[in-house]
Amino acid sequence: MGSDANAHQDGQWDDHYWWSADGVRLHARIYPGPAAAADAPPLLCMPGLARNARDFEALAPHVARSRKTIVVEFRGRGDSAYAKDPMTYVPLTYVQDVVALLDELAIPRIATIGTSLGGLVSMFLAASLPDRIVGAVLNDVGPELEKAGLDRIRDYIGVGGSQPTWMHAARAYAELNGAIYPAYGIHDWLRLTKRTHRLTPEGRVIADYDKQIAAPLRLAGDAAGIDLWPAFRAFGDSPVLILRGRLSDILAKPAAAKMAAELPRARLVEVAGVGHAPTMDEPDALVAIDAWLAELPAQ
């Protein structure tokens, strides 16, 4: 529990560790933000299903120029420990884990930036603790998700072996995800692969998550019949930015438009040339996020 005494060499963040209610040691990166924004609600960044804190390695330093930024790693990802019970790899457990962190840090109110799974956790946080959420970015996710895209994710999560080099891993990752980022070159794929993979002690490159995160997804009828619109509406009149990859197979354009019409301060921005999900360092996304930041309460 607690933060490392020394910041990383680049001075951007401190590592912070905390414990879940069921004894899993969890990790977050904390970017301190400017002293002038010390009273502003911090930003809580939450990555997608198979992602980790490195998902925000470009965005977090950018938004931390405005206010304190916390990037969590859900259990079973990155430097967070793997859970003994794979059935705890579900959104409601992630909500409990995040709330434990916020309580430990004595943070009363936050704005969230969530990609995919992270956006679902944002909605559940709003539903359970509406007074603590002052705004949200939902990155290519919402209350209505496309079955075809979900099936695609279920097919690849938790499978796959190791690669001998980063270049081999990048080419394999590109083959799997080429339709999502069609304009990417090999250097882009290397950058993305290094965000999502790690080296084993034997020097092999593997995906940086516990393959058991797939276990709850294998259950028949997973998430079927759950109405997530009440959770989305729980954002109320807070500023909500809906980012949608124009090629997304997860968040359909009509569903995103419906989301934007549902809340008084919701805004939809499509990110050109990418699918699920934008990395949020695209120019379109950064401009939209900066405008959203300007709408957040100063204290």
Side-chain angles (χ1 to χ4, degrees):
M1 191 176 296
S3 296
D4 283 0
N6 298 315
H8 283 256
Q9 288 181 350
D10 56 13
Q12 289 184 332
W13 78 81
D14 292 293
D15 289 308
H16 182 88
Y17 295 89
W18 82 104
W19 293 91
S20 71
D22 59 341
V24 179
R25 188 175 188 249
L26 302 168
H27 172 255
R29 293 179 176 183
I30 299 183
Y31 297 72
D39 294 331
L43 303 175
L44 179 69
C45 299
M46 295 180 284
L49 179 64
R51 302 298 185 91
N52 55 69
R54 299 191 300 280
D55 234 19
F56 292 90
E57 66 182 11
L59 181 65
H62 177 82
V63 296
R65 295 188 303 208
S66 299
R67 57 184 68 207
K68 181 176 183 176
T69 300
I70 302 165
V71 184
V72 300
E73 293 188 308
F74 294 131
R75 55 177 60 205
R77 287 86 163 173
D79 289 333
S80 287
Y82 291 8
K84 292 180 180 178
D85 179 4
M87 288 302 121
T88 63
Y89 289 133
V90 292
L92 292 180
T93 306
Y94 305 140
V95 169
Q96 293 167 0
D97 292 347
V98 168
V99 171
L101 172 65
L102 298 177
D103 289 347
E104 178 182 305
L105 297 177
I107 295 174
R109 299 196 306 156
I110 54 164
T112 61
I113 302 177
T115 294
S116 196
L117 170 64
L120 293 177
V121 174
S122 293
M123 291 194 293
F124 285 125
L125 280 169
S128 55
L129 301 167
D131 294 338
R132 294 182 77 164
I133 310 296
V134 301
V137 176
L138 298 177
N139 184 22
D140 214 63
V141 70
E144 293 180 13
L145 303 176
E146 294 297 289
K147 183 179 183 301
L150 294 174
D151 288 344
R152 175 181 61 81
I153 290 171
R154 284 192 185 94
D155 285 344
Y156 78 77
I157 287 295
V159 300
S162 64
Q163 297 289 339
T165 69
W166 282 111
M167 186 61 75
H168 283 87
R171 293 194 186 285
Y173 204 53
E175 188 173 338
L176 183 65
N177 296 288
I180 298 174
Y181 307 109
Y184 272 21
I186 190 60
H187 292 293
D188 300 303
W189 287 113
L190 272 169
R191 184 182 72 250
L192 192 58
T193 301
K194 289 186 176 183
R195 288 182 183 179
T196 55
H197 291 66
R198 65 177 174 85
L199 281 175
T200 68
E202 297 76 29
R204 304 285 294 186
V205 181
I206 63 170
D208 195 8
Y209 64 85
D210 180 1
K211 289 185 177 181
Q212 289 300 308
I213 65 170
L217 302 178
R218 309 288 185 228
L219 299 178
D222 174 65
I226 298 176
D227 181 6
L228 296 178
W229 281 103
F232 175 74
R233 295 186 189 105
F235 289 121
D237 61 359
S238 299
V240 175
L241 171 62
I242 303 147
L243 290 177
R244 178 182 180 269
R246 191 163 290 165
L247 308 178
S248 177
D249 63 350
I250 289 288
L251 181 62
K253 190 165 186 172
K258 182 179 175 183
M259 291 166 66
E262 194 73 21
L263 296 178
R265 297 178 69 190
R267 178 172 175 239
L268 170 61
V269 172
E270 286 201 327
V271 182
V274 300
H276 180 82
T279 58
M280 293 189 288
D281 45 18
E282 301 94 351
D284 294 351
L286 286 174
V287 168
I289 289 169
D290 285 344
W292 170 80
L293 282 169
E295 290 188 69
L296 296 177
Q299 59 183 13

